[in-house]
Amino acid sequence: MESTIPASLQPCIDAYLHALVSWHARFVGIYLHGSIALGAFEEGESDIDVLALIQGEWSSEEMKQFAAVHAQLVQQQPLCKLMDVTYIPLQQQSPSAIFRDGTFTTPAHLDATMAWITKHQGIRLLGPEPATLPLTVTWDDVLEAMRFNLDVYWAGKARRAYLFWFDYWVMTSVATLCRILSAIEEGEIIAKSVALQRWRERFPQRWQLLLDEAWRIRHHPDQPSLYHNRIQRKRETLAFLAYARARGGEALQAASRMHREKT
């Protein structure tokens, strides 16, 4: 087992692999991605992100059986509720199933960021080394995923302004947009806390209080807010969303122009 796996998670991962013993023939490979693979797992904040590549499609009956396996696993190892496991047929890379927040549901989707981290930084639990996997993902695919996040996902969230009354959405939006800008401008996928620290030193002074607030929510939620009231904080968060989306969009356009000029 890889030494980069936090020791506190090892019993959960061992129990998961043991629960799959009779199913091993159905898997191409199982890999850790996300914060663990990035060397940035945070107790109490991070999920245990797993990508499981399966042979062919599962029947509805097999889905039920596997859901029962997960339910039993959570009872034996409560920490396994933190597992965010995506099950994808390798050949089709089509929607299959996901175990998240203690629930086994469909559909699941293999996005470019997940595939990139798995192939380049993933930790093998079962199967061949991740670098040898036939995952057809390029950095352009990752950038296209970032574009979707900016133009669709976060544009949609910005239209639901009430969300940013709540701590969770303030922290998640600020940290995630910092991650997106790191991918677009620096060509690197990093964890949320690393992104908050990095961009605090790079953004204009205006945004430092908001980044500090996001850090407080993530790491010191019992401490009082740095803002006088939630209305002010919500307005600043929405303004930051507009700023980060515009900055990311301009960087993507510049990258596209450079690519066209080279070709």
Side-chain angles (χ1 to χ4, degrees), residues 96-124:
S96 187
I98 190 166
F99 177 81
R100 177 178 293 158
D101 297 329
T103 304
F104 195 75
T105 60
T106 58
H109 177 68
L110 179 61
D111 64 60
T113 305
M114 184 191 306
W116 181 271
I117 295 175
T118 300
K119 189 172 179 68
H120 296 276
Q121 294 174 269
I123 299 174
R124 182 183 71 89

Short mmCIF file of all heavy atoms in Angstrom, two decimals, residues 96-124:
data_model
loop_
_atom_site.label_atom_id
_atom_site.label_comp_id
_atom_site.label_asym_id
_atom_site.label_seq_id
_atom_site.Cartn_x
_atom_site.Cartn_y
_atom_site.Cartn_z
N SER A 96 -22.28 5.26 -14.94
CA SER A 96 -22.55 4.00 -14.24
C SER A 96 -23.11 4.29 -12.86
O SER A 96 -24.29 4.57 -12.74
CB SER A 96 -21.27 3.16 -14.17
OG SER A 96 -21.57 1.89 -13.63
N ALA A 97 -22.29 4.29 -11.82
CA ALA A 97 -22.81 4.45 -10.46
C ALA A 97 -21.81 5.18 -9.59
O ALA A 97 -20.61 5.23 -9.88
CB ALA A 97 -23.14 3.09 -9.86
N ILE A 98 -22.33 5.74 -8.50
CA ILE A 98 -21.46 6.45 -7.56
C ILE A 98 -21.94 6.21 -6.14
O ILE A 98 -23.15 6.12 -5.89
CB ILE A 98 -21.44 7.96 -7.90
CG1 ILE A 98 -20.35 8.67 -7.08
CG2 ILE A 98 -22.79 8.60 -7.67
CD1 ILE A 98 -20.04 10.07 -7.57
N PHE A 99 -20.98 6.06 -5.23
CA PHE A 99 -21.28 5.98 -3.81
C PHE A 99 -20.80 7.28 -3.19
O PHE A 99 -19.62 7.59 -3.20
CB PHE A 99 -20.56 4.79 -3.18
CG PHE A 99 -20.76 4.69 -1.69
CD1 PHE A 99 -21.91 4.13 -1.17
CD2 PHE A 99 -19.81 5.18 -0.81
CE1 PHE A 99 -22.12 4.05 0.19
CE2 PHE A 99 -19.99 5.10 0.56
CZ PHE A 99 -21.16 4.53 1.06
N ARG A 100 -21.74 8.06 -2.64
CA ARG A 100 -21.39 9.37 -2.08
C ARG A 100 -22.30 9.68 -0.91
O ARG A 100 -23.50 9.41 -0.96
CB ARG A 100 -21.53 10.46 -3.15
CG ARG A 100 -21.26 11.87 -2.67
CD ARG A 100 -21.37 12.87 -3.81
NE ARG A 100 -20.31 12.68 -4.78
CZ ARG A 100 -20.36 13.08 -6.05
NH1 ARG A 100 -21.45 13.66 -6.50
NH2 ARG A 100 -19.33 12.89 -6.86
N ASP A 101 -21.70 10.24 0.15
CA ASP A 101 -22.45 10.61 1.35
C ASP A 101 -23.27 9.44 1.90
O ASP A 101 -24.40 9.60 2.35
CB ASP A 101 -23.39 11.79 1.06
CG ASP A 101 -22.63 13.05 0.67
OD1 ASP A 101 -21.49 13.22 1.16
OD2 ASP A 101 -23.15 13.85 -0.13
N GLY A 102 -22.67 8.26 1.81
CA GLY A 102 -23.32 7.09 2.38
C GLY A 102 -24.42 6.50 1.52
O GLY A 102 -25.15 5.61 1.96
N THR A 103 -24.56 6.97 0.28
CA THR A 103 -25.65 6.51 -0.59
C THR A 103 -25.09 6.04 -1.92
O THR A 103 -24.20 6.68 -2.50
CB THR A 103 -26.65 7.66 -0.83
OG1 THR A 103 -27.13 8.14 0.42
CG2 THR A 103 -27.83 7.16 -1.65
N PHE A 104 -25.63 4.95 -2.44
CA PHE A 104 -25.22 4.38 -3.72
C PHE A 104 -26.27 4.75 -4.75
O PHE A 104 -27.44 4.36 -4.66
CB PHE A 104 -25.13 2.86 -3.58
CG PHE A 104 -24.38 2.19 -4.70
CD1 PHE A 104 -23.00 2.26 -4.76
CD2 PHE A 104 -25.05 1.47 -5.67
CE1 PHE A 104 -22.30 1.62 -5.78
CE2 PHE A 104 -24.35 0.83 -6.69
CZ PHE A 104 -22.98 0.91 -6.74
N THR A 105 -25.88 5.57 -5.75
CA THR A 105 -26.84 6.09 -6.72
C THR A 105 -26.27 6.03 -8.14
O THR A 105 -25.09 5.74 -8.34
CB THR A 105 -27.22 7.55 -6.42
OG1 THR A 105 -26.04 8.35 -6.46
CG2 THR A 105 -27.87 7.67 -5.05
N THR A 106 -27.14 6.32 -9.10
CA THR A 106 -26.75 6.47 -10.50
C THR A 106 -27.36 7.78 -11.01
O THR A 106 -28.36 8.25 -10.48
CB THR A 106 -27.28 5.29 -11.35
OG1 THR A 106 -28.70 5.24 -11.20
CG2 THR A 106 -26.69 3.97 -10.91
N PRO A 107 -26.82 8.38 -12.07
CA PRO A 107 -25.63 7.95 -12.79
C PRO A 107 -24.36 8.57 -12.21
O PRO A 107 -24.43 9.47 -11.38
CB PRO A 107 -25.89 8.47 -14.20
CG PRO A 107 -26.60 9.77 -13.95
CD PRO A 107 -27.48 9.53 -12.72
N ALA A 108 -23.23 8.10 -12.69
CA ALA A 108 -21.93 8.69 -12.38
C ALA A 108 -21.27 9.10 -13.68
O ALA A 108 -21.63 8.60 -14.75
CB ALA A 108 -21.06 7.68 -11.64
N HIS A 109 -20.31 9.98 -13.59
CA HIS A 109 -19.66 10.47 -14.81
C HIS A 109 -18.17 10.64 -14.56
O HIS A 109 -17.77 11.16 -13.51
CB HIS A 109 -20.28 11.80 -15.24
CG HIS A 109 -19.62 12.42 -16.43
ND1 HIS A 109 -19.71 11.85 -17.68
CD2 HIS A 109 -18.86 13.53 -16.56
CE1 HIS A 109 -19.03 12.60 -18.54
NE2 HIS A 109 -18.50 13.62 -17.88
N LEU A 110 -17.36 10.21 -15.50
CA LEU A 110 -15.91 10.38 -15.42
C LEU A 110 -15.54 11.72 -16.04
O LEU A 110 -15.49 11.86 -17.26
CB LEU A 110 -15.19 9.25 -16.15
CG LEU A 110 -13.66 9.32 -16.15
CD1 LEU A 110 -13.11 9.28 -14.73
CD2 LEU A 110 -13.07 8.18 -16.98
N ASP A 111 -15.30 12.73 -15.19
CA ASP A 111 -14.95 14.03 -15.74
C ASP A 111 -13.45 14.10 -16.00
O ASP A 111 -12.66 13.30 -15.50
CB ASP A 111 -15.42 15.17 -14.84
CG ASP A 111 -14.74 15.17 -13.48
OD1 ASP A 111 -13.50 15.29 -13.44
OD2 ASP A 111 -15.44 15.06 -12.46
N ALA A 112 -13.06 15.11 -16.76
CA ALA A 112 -11.67 15.22 -17.21
C ALA A 112 -10.72 15.42 -16.05
O ALA A 112 -9.59 14.89 -16.05
CB ALA A 112 -11.55 16.36 -18.22
N THR A 113 -11.12 16.21 -15.05
CA THR A 113 -10.23 16.47 -13.93
C THR A 113 -9.96 15.20 -13.14
O THR A 113 -8.81 14.92 -12.76
CB THR A 113 -10.84 17.54 -13.01
OG1 THR A 113 -11.14 18.72 -13.77
CG2 THR A 113 -9.89 17.90 -11.88
N MET A 114 -11.00 14.42 -12.89
CA MET A 114 -10.83 13.15 -12.18
C MET A 114 -9.92 12.22 -12.96
O MET A 114 -9.02 11.59 -12.40
CB MET A 114 -12.21 12.48 -11.98
CG MET A 114 -12.17 11.20 -11.18
SD MET A 114 -13.74 10.28 -11.25
CE MET A 114 -14.91 11.53 -10.73
N ALA A 115 -10.14 12.13 -14.26
CA ALA A 115 -9.33 11.25 -15.10
C ALA A 115 -7.87 11.71 -15.12
O ALA A 115 -6.94 10.89 -15.05
CB ALA A 115 -9.89 11.20 -16.52
N TRP A 116 -7.65 13.02 -15.20
CA TRP A 116 -6.28 13.55 -15.26
C TRP A 116 -5.53 13.26 -13.97
O TRP A 116 -4.39 12.79 -13.99
CB TRP A 116 -6.32 15.05 -15.53
CG TRP A 116 -4.95 15.66 -15.62
CD1 TRP A 116 -4.20 16.18 -14.59
CD2 TRP A 116 -4.14 15.78 -16.79
NE1 TRP A 116 -2.99 16.62 -15.05
CE2 TRP A 116 -2.92 16.40 -16.40
CE3 TRP A 116 -4.33 15.46 -18.13
CZ2 TRP A 116 -1.91 16.69 -17.30
CZ3 TRP A 116 -3.32 15.75 -19.03
CH2 TRP A 116 -2.13 16.35 -18.62
N ILE A 117 -6.15 13.55 -12.82
CA ILE A 117 -5.48 13.30 -11.55
C ILE A 117 -5.19 11.82 -11.39
O ILE A 117 -4.10 11.43 -10.95
CB ILE A 117 -6.34 13.81 -10.37
CG1 ILE A 117 -6.48 15.33 -10.43
CG2 ILE A 117 -5.71 13.40 -9.04
CD1 ILE A 117 -7.41 15.90 -9.38
N THR A 118 -6.16 10.97 -11.75
CA THR A 118 -5.96 9.53 -11.61
C THR A 118 -4.78 9.06 -12.45
O THR A 118 -3.90 8.34 -11.95
CB THR A 118 -7.23 8.77 -12.04
OG1 THR A 118 -8.32 9.17 -11.20
CG2 THR A 118 -7.03 7.27 -11.91
N LYS A 119 -4.72 9.48 -13.69
CA LYS A 119 -3.68 8.99 -14.58
C LYS A 119 -2.29 9.52 -14.21
O LYS A 119 -1.29 8.80 -14.32
CB LYS A 119 -4.00 9.37 -16.02
CG LYS A 119 -3.07 8.73 -17.05
CD LYS A 119 -3.56 8.97 -18.45
CE LYS A 119 -2.63 8.34 -19.50
NZ LYS A 119 -2.65 6.87 -19.46
N HIS A 120 -2.22 10.75 -13.74
CA HIS A 120 -0.92 11.39 -13.51
C HIS A 120 -0.48 11.39 -12.06
O HIS A 120 0.72 11.47 -11.78
CB HIS A 120 -0.93 12.81 -14.06
CG HIS A 120 -1.10 12.87 -15.55
ND1 HIS A 120 -0.04 12.74 -16.42
CD2 HIS A 120 -2.21 13.02 -16.32
CE1 HIS A 120 -0.48 12.82 -17.67
NE2 HIS A 120 -1.79 12.99 -17.63
N GLN A 121 -1.43 11.31 -11.11
CA GLN A 121 -1.06 11.36 -9.70
C GLN A 121 -1.80 10.35 -8.84
O GLN A 121 -1.64 10.35 -7.62
CB GLN A 121 -1.32 12.78 -9.15
CG GLN A 121 -0.44 13.86 -9.75
CD GLN A 121 -0.82 15.25 -9.29
OE1 GLN A 121 -1.63 15.92 -9.91
NE2 GLN A 121 -0.23 15.68 -8.19
N GLY A 122 -2.61 9.52 -9.47
CA GLY A 122 -3.44 8.58 -8.73
C GLY A 122 -2.62 7.55 -7.94
O GLY A 122 -1.48 7.23 -8.28
N ILE A 123 -3.23 7.05 -6.88
CA ILE A 123 -2.61 6.02 -6.03
C ILE A 123 -3.33 4.70 -6.29
O ILE A 123 -4.54 4.58 -6.13
CB ILE A 123 -2.71 6.39 -4.55
CG1 ILE A 123 -1.97 7.71 -4.28
CG2 ILE A 123 -2.15 5.28 -3.66
CD1 ILE A 123 -2.15 8.24 -2.87
N ARG A 124 -2.59 3.70 -6.70
CA ARG A 124 -3.16 2.41 -7.06
C ARG A 124 -3.55 1.62 -5.81
O ARG A 124 -2.77 1.45 -4.89
CB ARG A 124 -2.13 1.60 -7.86
CG ARG A 124 -2.63 0.24 -8.34
CD ARG A 124 -1.52 -0.51 -9.06
NE ARG A 124 -0.50 -0.95 -8.12
CZ ARG A 124 -0.53 -2.12 -7.46
NH1 ARG A 124 -1.52 -2.96 -7.66
NH2 ARG A 124 0.44 -2.43 -6.63
#
